[in-house]
Amino acid sequence: MDDWEDACAFALTLPDVAIAPWWGTPCPKINGKGLISPSREPGSFGLMVAQDEKPLLIETDPETFWQTDHYRNYPMLLVRYGTPARERIALYIQRAWWDRAKKAQRLAAGWETRP
């Protein structure tokens, strides 16, 4: 993803995602739950991920995925803009959607299993 607008544009392609306030900032959400948020860290955005997936992402692509102590115990990672990992970032935004979507939404989208 090149910037916040690019990340939001991708998230908004997912079913039932809309921009709504999250922590006082407009963010892509589904069912009232955020997928991504802008970061206070320059050049990055926050991405909701399963806590057990964080170490793998940081270890395999530290140029893209990273965290500060603020996110250490929260299911969110920081994602740097402009890395070549666009497809992988998109996959994890889709997973954030899947994890927050209702079963009926998943089935309507044609996703029987988690991406």
Side-chain angles (χ1 to χ4, degrees), residues 4 11 23 25-26 32 37 40 45 49 52 55-57 65 70 72 76-79 82 88 90-91 103-104 106-107:
W4 175 243
W23 296 320
T25 303
S37 70
R40 294 180 186 155
F45 69 95
V49 297
D52 62 342
L56 172 72
L57 291 170
F65 302 101
H70 178 77
R72 191 160 316 280
M76 182 176 267
L77 273 181
L78 294 168
V79 180
R88 193 172 192 197
L91 170 66
K103 183 177 181 179
R106 295 175 190 156
L107 294 175

Side-chain angles (χ1 to χ4, degrees), residues 37-70:
S37 70
S39 172
R40 294 180 186 155
E41 301 297 328
S44 298
F45 69 95
L47 169 63
M48 296 300 295
V49 297
Q51 193 72 11
D52 62 342
E53 292 174 322
K54 289 172 69 171
L56 172 72
L57 291 170
I58 292 169
E59 182 179 321
T60 59
D61 189 357
E63 291 182 30
T64 300
F65 302 101
W66 65 292
Q67 70 181 353
T68 62
D69 285 341
H70 178 77

